[in-house]
Amino acid sequence: MPFNIAWVQEISVLIISLVFLGPALHLMRKSTEAARTGPFAARVSSLIAVAGITLFWLSRWLPREHPGATWIYAIPLVAGSLAVVALAILSVQAPKALGVREVDVAPRTLWSFGSRWWFAGWYTLTALLLATAVVCGLTSSTDELGRHTMLVLDVGSHQAGTSFFGWAFGVPVLVASVLLLVIGHLAISQTVRPAVSADPKQRALDIASRCAEIRTIVAVAAGATAFVLGAVLLFVAGSAGMVASFPAADGVRVELGTSFAALRTPFLAAGLILQGFGLCLALLPLFQRKGALISSIPGQVPVAAGTADR
């Protein structure tokens, strides 16, 4: 990809991410007056995720024949997994119940401390990324090194080829996406599992802490997934512009393009928007504030208090 085009795309992604960041911060601060979970852990997690995106941008200058060139699209996803692990290690543990003889016997699920829309968005982005990687892999052809990194047009006895997001790029993305999904759910399970305090005041702080932590996990994971999906669509958009030219029997040159050439502009726009949105989600935990109570908690967990013998 020429330097000037890549530079323009990256600047566009930064601008789009800032456009998304304003409303995202407004919604985050509207839904919570304070998050008791330590902002340090959330910020470290965010910085790791953003570092993965930055490393992806820098790694794109590797020559295509470099052994590690086909792994660069998995970098933001791997960084997302590391960010979630760091968050799970550094996060403040849920506070202990004040009333030792009162226990929470209400059932809890992975979705007890967060909006279902958070998870639905993450799952949708992951499904789209996996489906795109599989479709592109099935469409790809091998290069001179035997790697599936090419898109080839066969027109009679003539062929034309260009770089494409084939299995060589897609398999690392598939593995890293599943890894991120598993690690994210393990971290969420760790957050959800401990009993919620039955003391009303402590309970509110407890739920606030867990909501903030899970929101950070989903934001980092969905952000990395959205960014990579956008990068893949930009790659496909670049390949869609391939044109094969060859002379016909009457001497007139014939030009043929890819079957999805008309999708080049929509893929380009969607890729930039998704990358900007992904970067916005990765940056969001940087602005998490420390405070006391939360004003509205999606999916509050009811507490049924009972008496327990010590």
Side-chain angles (χ1 to χ4, degrees), residues 8 21 35 69 99 137 150 162 190 239 252 259 280 305:
V8 169
L21 195 58
M150 298 290 293
T162 187
Q190 174 184 299
S239 303
V252 178
S259 59
C280 165

Side-chain angles (χ1 to χ4, degrees), residues 243-310:
V243 175
S245 177
F246 61 93
D250 55 3
V252 178
R253 295 201 70 81
V254 177
E255 292 187 352
L256 294 175
T258 61
S259 59
F260 55 96
L263 297 176
R264 181 180 183 183
T265 300
F267 280 171
L268 181 62
L272 292 174
I273 292 172
L274 283 168
Q275 281 196 317
F277 180 64
L279 180 57
C280 165
L281 290 179
L283 288 169
L284 197 59
L286 277 177
F287 302 92
Q288 180 167 298
R289 298 181 299 166
K290 185 177 182 179
L293 295 175
I294 77 174
S295 58
S296 62
I297 305 167
Q300 285 198 16
V301 178
V303 171
T307 301
D309 294 330
R310 296 182 62 183

Side-chain angles (χ1 to χ4, degrees), residues 168-202:
F169 296 100
V171 169
V173 167
L174 292 172
V175 173
S177 297
V178 173
L179 179 65
L180 177 56
L181 201 64
V182 171
I183 290 177
H185 281 81
L186 288 176
I188 292 172
S189 177
Q190 174 184 299
T191 303
V192 169
R193 188 180 302 115
V196 179
S197 173
D199 177 82
K201 182 177 179 180
Q202 196 73 14

Side-chain angles (χ1 to χ4, degrees), residues 8-309:
V8 169
Q9 286 185 354
E10 289 163 10
I11 293 297
S12 300
V13 169
L14 290 174
I15 293 173
I16 292 170
S17 69
L18 293 177
V19 171
F20 276 119
L21 195 58
L25 287 174
H26 174 72
L27 291 174
M28 182 177 73
R29 289 173 179 174
K30 181 179 179 182
S31 65
T32 65
E33 292 203 351
R36 191 175 182 277
T37 297
F40 174 75
R43 289 168 184 166
V44 169
S45 178
S46 176
L47 289 174
I48 293 174
V50 173
I53 291 173
T54 303
L55 184 58
F56 164 78
W57 275 335
L58 296 176
S59 300
R60 288 194 304 168
W61 306 115
L62 284 175
R64 292 290 185 189
E65 61 273 10
H66 191 279
T70 56
W71 287 82
I72 64 174
Y73 285 84
I75 291 176
L77 297 169
V78 174
S81 296
L82 295 176
V84 172
V85 171
L87 180 70
I89 294 173
L90 297 175
S91 290
V92 176
Q93 296 298 316
K96 301 295 183 182
L98 294 180
V100 294
R101 297 179 64 83
E102 291 182 336
V103 295
D104 169 26
V105 296
R108 295 181 303 279
T109 68
L110 291 176
W111 305 278
S112 293
F113 298 97
S115 170
R116 297 294 178 94
W117 289 107
W118 300 354
F119 296 96
W122 178 20
Y123 298 156
T124 300
L125 289 168
T126 301
L128 288 173
L129 178 57
L130 296 178
T132 302
V134 169
V135 171
C136 290
L138 294 173
T139 310
S140 63
S141 300
T142 56
D143 58 15
E144 62 277 4
L145 299 177
R147 305 175 304 173
H148 282 261
T149 63
M150 298 290 293
L151 176 67
V152 176
L153 286 180
D154 290 309
V155 185
S157 59
H158 302 274
Q159 282 188 335
T162 187
S163 297
F164 191 61
F165 190 83
W167 288 122
F169 296 100
V171 169
V173 167
L174 292 172
V175 173
S177 297
V178 173
L179 179 65
L180 177 56
L181 201 64
V182 171
I183 290 177
H185 281 81
L186 288 176
I188 292 172
S189 177
Q190 174 184 299
T191 303
V192 169
R193 188 180 302 115
V196 179
S197 173
D199 177 82
K201 182 177 179 180
Q202 196 73 14
R203 176 178 180 273
L205 294 172
D206 192 351
I207 295 177
S209 176
R210 300 190 198 203
C211 282
E213 186 171 339
I214 290 176
R215 182 183 60 205
T216 300
I217 292 171
V218 175
V220 168
T225 304
F227 184 88
V228 173
L229 177 58
V232 172
L233 291 181
L234 288 178
F235 195 161
V236 175
S239 303
M242 179 182 64
V243 175
S245 177
F246 61 93
D250 55 3
V252 178
R253 295 201 70 81
V254 177
E255 292 187 352
L256 294 175
T258 61
S259 59
F260 55 96
L263 297 176
R264 181 180 183 183
T265 300
F267 280 171
L268 181 62
L272 292 174
I273 292 172
L274 283 168
Q275 281 196 317
F277 180 64
L279 180 57
C280 165
L281 290 179
L283 288 169
L284 197 59
L286 277 177
F287 302 92
Q288 180 167 298
R289 298 181 299 166
K290 185 177 182 179
L293 295 175
I294 77 174
S295 58
S296 62
I297 305 167
Q300 285 198 16
V301 178
V303 171
T307 301
D309 294 330

